[in-house]
Each structure stands twice: as structure tokens, then as C-alpha cells.
């Protein structure tokens, strides 16, 4: 499959105060970016846990963006700093299991930066197109527990 045919599924965890507002501003200004980006509004990116980012990847996302306030402007003091550390942990985990660490990214943006939001998520989309489809998704990986035939137990001859 060429990069032209592949449309990556991307989840964007966005801070309500900044990144979500920037995405809304980009939409209102009719700025173009990939329609396959699924935005999840969070009160603060500090709520984006390592597990949630990994679940998004496991559930079919080819990439995950965590988009929060600019450094020093978090409405919850340091939520964006915590989120950046968590995204760093996710990229470390991806490397450890042999996946491309470019599948997760933290971006910092203010509410007034609609054009920059569109630009950054489109740039991330192009990066994911180059990386290719995720090899680990529930869509393609059978569930071992459900796919294992039931053990009939010991066979008794009559």
C-alpha cells in the first residue's frame, strides 16, 4: 500500500482551554487538515495517561497527538508538563516493544493558534503516512482468549 492510499487514523487528546479551542478556530476558519483526526476533548492534557494513549493505539489509531497549552500557561498549573512526560514515556515504551516512537507526539499550542494547530496535525499525519499503518490493532489482532477453543476436559470412554 502506498502512502497515497493509506489514510492514518489519528486520535488527538486536546486540552479544552487551548488545543481544543485552536482546533475549533481552525475549523471555523475552514483550514484544511486530515479529516481522519479524531479529537477527544479533555479538561487538561494532564488527564491523558500513558494507558489511555496506549489504548488508543491498541484500539486502531495509527498515531496519537496530545495537544496542550503552551509551556507556563496551563490552566491547571503543570498538566501540560505532566502530559509531555507521559508522552515521552509512551515513546520509550513504543521503542522497547519495537514500534516506531513517532506514533505518539506532544504539541503545545494556544487557543489563538488555529492555523498552527492545523499545520501541526497535518504534519503529524504526513509523518504517520511515512511510518505506515500500525501493526498492533484490535481490528487485525485476534483476541487469544476468545479465539481459543474451549477445553472439553478429560475424555471418558464409555
Amino acid at each position: 500500500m502506498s502512502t497515497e492510499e493509506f489514510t492514518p487514523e489519528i486520535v488527538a487528546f486536546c486540552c479544552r482551554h487551548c488545543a481544543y479551542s485552536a482546533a475549533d478556530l481552525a475549523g471555523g476558519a475552514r483550514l484544511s487538515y486530515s479529516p481522519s483526526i479524531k479529537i477527544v476533548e479533555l479538561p487538561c492534557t494532564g488527564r491523558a495517561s500513558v494507558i489511555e494513549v496506549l489504548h488508543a493505539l491498541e484500539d486502531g489509531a495509527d498515531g496519537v497527538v496530545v495537544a496542550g497549552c503552551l509551556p507556563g500557561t496551563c490552566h491547571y498549573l503543570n498538566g501540560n508538563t505532566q502530559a509531555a512526560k507521559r508522552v515521552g514515556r509512551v515513546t520509550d515504551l513504543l521503542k522497547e516493544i519495537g514500534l516506531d516512537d513517532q506514533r505518539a507526539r506532544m504539541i503545545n499550542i494556544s487557543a489563538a493558534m488555529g492555523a498552527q494547530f492545523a499545520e501541526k496535525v497535518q504534519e503529524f499525519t504526513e509523518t504517520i503516512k511515512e511510518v505506515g499503518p500500525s501493526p498492533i490493532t484490535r481490528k487485525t489482532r485476534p483476541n487469544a482468549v476468545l479465539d481459543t477453543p474451549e477445553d472439553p476436559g478429560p475424555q471418558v470412554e464409555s
Side-chain angles (χ1 to χ4, degrees):
M1 177 183 312
S2 75
T3 57
E4 295 299 317
E5 296 171 17
F6 169 55
T7 303
E9 294 293 324
I10 296 173
V11 174
F13 291 106
C14 294
C15 159
R16 172 182 300 146
H17 300 286
C18 290
Y20 188 82
S21 296
D24 188 44
L25 183 61
R30 301 201 187 286
L31 299 173
S32 178
Y33 61 88
S34 176
S36 67
I37 294 178
K38 312 289 189 279
I39 295 178
V40 178
E41 182 183 10
L42 299 176
C44 175
T45 53
R47 300 285 302 201
S49 70
V50 169
I51 293 295
E52 290 300 321
V53 173
L54 293 174
H55 275 287
L57 291 167
E58 183 181 36
D59 286 342
D62 298 300
V64 177
V65 171
V66 178
C69 302
L70 292 170
T73 64
C74 179
H75 287 75
Y76 296 95
L77 302 178
N78 64 352
N80 57 354
T81 305
Q82 292 172 348
K85 289 178 185 174
R86 290 178 185 139
V87 171
R89 180 65 182 133
V90 168
T91 59
D92 290 344
L93 288 169
L94 292 175
K95 280 190 252 184
E96 285 178 34
I97 63 172
L99 294 176
D100 198 313
D101 64 340
Q102 294 183 71
R103 292 193 185 279
R105 180 179 295 176
M106 175 79 188
I107 62 173
N108 298 96
I109 203 148
S110 78
M113 298 170 70
Q116 291 86 341
F117 177 85
E119 179 182 309
K120 287 178 184 273
V121 295
Q122 189 58 40
E123 176 185 295
F124 184 67
T125 301
E126 295 304 318
T127 298
I128 297 300
K129 280 184 177 182
E130 290 173 14
V131 171
S134 175
I136 54 154
T137 66
R138 287 186 185 181
K139 293 177 190 174
T140 59
R141 192 187 59 188
N143 185 328
V145 174
L146 296 177
D147 290 343
T148 304
E150 288 187 38
D151 181 8
Q155 300 297 315
V156 178
E157 290 184 31
S158 27

